[in-house]
Amino acid sequence: AELAVQRTVCLSPADPSDPRVAALAGVHVGPYHSFVPLDEPNHKRSRTLGVQSSLFRATSSNDGESYALRRLEGGTLPHGARGRSRVWSTLSHPNLVKMHELLPWDEGGQAVTYIVQAFHPNSVTLEHAYLQQRMPLNEETLWSHALQMVAALHAIHLAGLAARVVDLNHVLLTGKETTRLSCAGILDFTRPDSTRSVVALQVEDLAALGRLLINLACTSPSAASPNALQNSMSYIQVSRRCSTLRIP
């Protein structure tokens, strides 16, 4: 039954009231067609990923499956980006949204890039689930999310890579309990960092995970900020939200 629901989502048409739908009619990017916007029409596009981006569901004419395509605006790809994308495309883990390919594209003289990723129907970000919808969050659930994200980062680091984007808005809740890092590696193409070693970037991944867990435990996007950190840790201890979690 769950697979049938997911298949229905993959085949569902775009909302005809969405003002972006008319412009997407007939659009093809490589083998991908039938574009459906996945972000909100009035979504304030963040530059967390280095550039402004938009997210779509599209169908591949190669296999008929649905994929998530993230459109990155502006500029050309840095040197070595295609080779870097092939490294990421070989990485597969149950707590990672798989990157399939990097697709540079010319849209009427404007250079854009599409990141083609696995599509997970009915997924929501941790921010949407716990900070906006206020889904219940107990210690067991928090530990489950923490361990899954640690497992994903472990696989990424073992491959000699760094996620570089670990926050509540870029971790998906797919199904009832599975979490997946959704934008790992994208900064390698939008904001490459040649000043720091991979090890330094991996250390930053762990620090970002610590901040994410504090924000999640306090259900606040700013709980891990320097000004709020002491009060946030006191709240976590008093509320027994994480009885044995120690975040450096």
Side-chain angles (χ1 to χ4, degrees):
E2 184 177 349
L3 291 177
V5 170
Q6 291 181 357
R7 189 62 181 170
T8 299
V9 172
C10 290
L11 298 175
S12 61
D15 180 356
S17 66
D18 190 322
R20 299 168 296 178
V21 170
L24 292 171
V27 169
H28 283 71
V29 175
Y32 303 98
H33 60 89
S34 303
F35 277 62
V36 174
L38 292 180
D39 42 17
E40 296 296 325
N42 57 353
H43 174 66
K44 184 179 180 181
R45 293 182 291 179
S46 168
R47 295 185 67 88
T48 301
L49 301 180
V51 297
Q52 290 189 344
S53 68
S54 303
L55 189 62
F56 305 91
R57 187 194 81 217
T59 303
S60 171
S61 58
N62 292 333
D63 58 14
E65 296 294 330
S66 294
Y67 292 85
L69 271 67
R70 188 174 292 274
R71 182 182 185 272
L72 308 176
E73 297 181 8
T76 57
L77 293 171
H79 177 71
R82 298 302 293 271
R84 193 72 169 176
S85 71
R86 285 191 288 271
V87 176
W88 276 103
S89 67
T90 62
L91 186 59
S92 182
H93 190 274
N95 300 116
L96 181 67
V97 176
K98 183 174 177 58
M99 182 186 297
H100 288 282
E101 64 174 319
L102 187 71
L103 192 60
W105 201 249
D106 186 295
E107 294 185 350
Q110 180 184 6
V112 298
T113 301
Y114 286 88
I115 304 287
V116 182
Q117 298 175 288
F119 173 63
H120 295 278
N122 293 325
S123 59
V124 296
T125 66
L126 294 187
E127 180 179 40
H128 184 80
Y130 296 111
L131 274 63
Q132 297 177 19
Q133 290 189 334
R134 294 291 177 176
M135 288 174 51
L137 180 65
N138 55 32
E139 181 177 357
E140 181 181 358
T141 301
L142 187 58
W143 268 109
S144 174
H145 292 335
L147 292 174
Q148 291 179 72
M149 286 182 279
V150 166
L153 289 179
H154 181 61
I156 291 170
H157 293 177
L158 278 180
L161 302 167
R164 301 187 62 198
V165 177
V166 185
D167 60 44
L168 291 174
N169 200 39
H170 295 99
V171 178
L172 297 184
L173 181 60
T174 61
K176 293 181 179 179
E177 298 179 353
T178 303
T179 56
R180 302 174 193 265
L181 302 185
S182 70
C183 290
I186 287 182
L187 284 183
D188 286 358
F189 314 118
T190 63
R191 193 183 293 165
D193 189 339
S194 59
T195 64
R196 292 185 292 172
S197 67
V198 172
V199 172
L201 295 175
Q202 291 173 346
V203 170
E204 175 55 31
D205 281 350
L206 299 179
L209 176 57
R211 293 191 294 270
L212 181 154
L213 293 175
I214 293 173
N215 290 339
L216 189 58
C218 297
T219 58
S220 166
S222 59
S225 64
N227 291 336
L229 185 58
Q230 184 174 351
N231 288 338
S232 297
M233 295 303 295
S234 297
Y235 166 77
I236 292 172
Q237 293 170 358
V238 170
S239 66
R240 300 185 181 277
R241 185 61 64 87
C242 275
S243 57
T244 58
L245 185 60
R246 295 291 181 268
I247 302 173

